[in-house]
Amino acid sequence: MAAPGKATVLLKAVKKITVQFCPFESNVRSTREFLALVGSEKARSTNMNCEVMPVVKHDKSEPVVDVTYVDGERLVMKGAKLTCSEMLGAFQSRCKDKDQQAKAGAKK
Amino acid sequence: MAATLCMKLLRNQGWAPLVQSVRHGSKAVTRHRKPLHIIKQKLLAVTQYIPPARVVPPGAYPAENKCVQEDAGLSLLLKKDLKKVFEESKMVAVVQKNGSNAEDMMILKHRLCKHGIKVKFFPNQVTRSFLSDSVYCNMAPLFIGPTVLFVSKEPKVKEMLSALRASPQMTLLGACIDNTLLSAQGVVSYSKLPSVTVVQGELVSGLTMLTSRTASMLQHHPARLSALLRQYVKQQSPDDGAEAAPKAEAAT
């Protein structure tokens, strides 16, 4: 499955991303691809304070992506039955909303 | 003007029209395919002939799906390389690389080279096809996305873990050490194990403890040994004290 291209990942409103998965399971492909996209140089350059923490487990647990935003909101995505593009779309839409809110607040 | 007046007059008096067009409008036989009326189209679609499915006897035609893809030359070379790597190295670790640039990779490679750990890249498809044939088939699900192999002849886990801790983008997924597949936590606990000589020494000392104690007791003065034995007998049988004590005394 090809990763969604030409989509710049904006991490400005994000404080921390924790990606937890068990690599020996078969349903972790989308989560790993999401991690590769979010942890890339481009994404990290948008916000150097954002931490991307991958956690590797071995207990047959489901892959989970936990995003903590700057204003305290949390986004939890269970990647077992989701595709990478779906996860990325949901994440990016929220990031954009937060970014616009922050910009509007700053302008005022 | 006169013609029109005449036409109107003629019509009013009930005369047949002077000019009648017989062949006019769309023709029936055309050079192109004439578009069908929608009702005719629908009718034809509904009443189309569907031939019955003919069952082919099983051995009549050769199977279509038997196209065995032969590996290209490059993948054969890479597989030979992989085989050599697996045979030579005792430790093969799989690490996911999330967006580290060339500088970081160079620094990491340099750090690992000092301890004799090599960094290898192989395409995932080739690795998977190689692993499915070989003994290490359970490692196949690890190879998804951007992965890098760390191979070394000696299992130097502590140094590898410290180097990985320094670069946050590399995630250790698993390792195959001494033909044993380990997860990330397994690798960490492996690094905390003492070395083989230390463990062997501990085992030997534990086994010989009993015999050494017996030997030391026998080497003491015999009176001490007899006193110990008497005490032991008294403890063992407090009810049959009378029978046991003469027996012990007869023995000493």
Side-chain angles (χ1 to χ4, degrees):
Chain A
M1 190 178 63
K6 289 193 183 173
T8 44
V9 183
L10 276 174
L11 294 176
K12 285 213 168 108
V14 178
K15 198 168 149 190
K16 184 171 158 175
I17 304 181
T18 311
V19 182
Q20 140 191 333
F21 60 93
C22 171
F24 291 95
E25 292 289 307
S26 47
N27 52 2
V28 296
R29 195 190 189 99
S30 51
T31 317
R32 277 178 74 171
E33 282 173 6
F34 182 80
L35 173 67
L37 278 172
V38 158
S40 64
E41 280 297 305
K42 252 192 192 176
R44 274 186 293 132
S45 61
T46 57
N47 182 359
M48 298 307 282
N49 298 327
C50 173
E51 287 178 23
V52 179
M53 279 198 15
V55 176
V56 177
K57 288 192 173 174
H58 194 48
D59 49 4
K60 294 195 188 175
S61 59
E62 294 198 354
V64 172
V65 177
D66 189 353
V67 184
T68 313
Y69 290 98
V70 169
D71 52 2
E73 199 186 306
R74 276 183 69 191
L75 170 66
V76 175
M77 293 195 276
K78 298 199 179 165
K81 307 267 182 185
L82 291 171
T83 62
C84 179
S85 38
E86 283 172 14
M87 297 210 285
L88 195 70
F91 175 66
Q92 271 191 307
S93 62
R94 258 161 257 257
C95 279
K96 264 189 190 166
D97 293 337
K98 303 249 168 181
D99 213 13
Q100 276 164 5
Q101 274 174 20
K103 276 186 185 165
K107 273 181 187 171
K108 281 177 189 170
Chain B
M1 193 180 92
T4 47
L5 279 172
C6 284
M7 282 273 289
K8 281 192 181 162
L9 282 168
L10 281 167
R11 228 177 255 159
N12 287 338
Q13 286 166 20
W15 280 43
L18 290 168
V19 175
Q20 256 181 347
S21 56
V22 177
R23 282 183 202 160
H24 177 69
S26 48
K27 301 181 183 174
V29 179
T30 52
R31 290 184 192 182
H32 61 273
R33 189 156 278 199
K34 203 163 130 176
L36 295 171
H37 197 276
I38 186 66
I39 296 177
K40 188 165 182 188
Q41 230 175 340
K42 283 186 190 175
L43 194 70
L44 283 174
V46 166
T47 57
Q48 209 166 35
Y49 172 63
I50 301 169
R54 283 210 131 176
V55 177
V56 178
Y61 294 112
E64 282 176 27
N65 302 334
K66 264 192 185 174
C67 43
V68 179
Q69 273 179 336
E70 282 185 13
D71 289 323
L74 182 63
S75 41
L76 279 172
L77 272 172
L78 289 167
K79 275 192 187 173
K80 272 192 202 165
D81 237 354
L82 257 178
K83 200 168 165 190
K84 225 169 75 174
V85 153
F86 268 99
E87 275 165 17
E88 278 178 6
S89 53
K90 273 195 178 171
M91 174 177 92
V92 176
V94 183
V95 169
Q96 177 161 342
K97 177 180 83 153
N98 300 320
S100 64
N101 41 359
E103 264 182 64
D104 294 338
M105 278 304 289
M106 241 174 50
I107 296 169
L108 187 69
K109 268 192 190 177
H110 179 67
R111 255 192 220 149
L112 293 172
C113 267
K114 276 193 227 171
H115 304 293
I117 304 177
K118 289 186 214 167
V119 180
K120 296 254 176 189
F121 298 90
F122 287 105
N124 281 343
Q125 244 186 355
V126 167
T127 332
R128 281 186 146 203
S129 67
F130 167 74
L131 288 176
S132 55
D133 293 330
S134 75
V135 183
Y136 310 97
C137 48
N138 290 323
M139 277 177 85
L142 287 177
F143 291 93
I144 295 177
T147 40
V148 182
L149 279 179
F150 288 178
V151 299
S152 78
K153 287 198 181 152
E154 301 297 317
K156 293 204 170 156
V157 184
K158 274 190 203 159
E159 292 88 2
M160 187 181 78
L161 282 175
S162 56
L164 283 174
R165 235 177 281 148
S167 52
Q169 310 102 350
M170 315 285 273
T171 331
L172 178 68
L173 298 170
C176 177
I177 303 179
D178 284 337
N179 286 333
T180 329
L181 189 57
L182 294 170
S183 68
Q185 287 123 7
V187 170
V188 169
S189 44
Y190 180 90
S191 67
K192 291 185 188 159
L193 282 178
S195 70
V196 179
T197 41
V198 170
V199 171
Q200 277 173 348
E202 277 182 19
L203 188 67
V204 164
S205 63
L207 285 171
T208 54
M209 196 176 72
L210 286 170
T211 45
S212 61
R213 274 195 75 179
T214 327
S216 65
M217 266 208 287
L218 286 170
Q219 277 164 11
H220 280 308
H221 204 264
R224 188 184 154 89
L225 181 61
S226 59
L228 279 170
L229 283 170
R230 218 173 287 150
Q231 187 68 29
Y232 176 71
V233 165
K234 269 189 203 163
Q235 278 174 353
Q236 282 298 301
S237 47
D239 300 329
D240 317 333
E243 290 174 29
K247 267 193 193 168
E249 283 184 9
T252 49

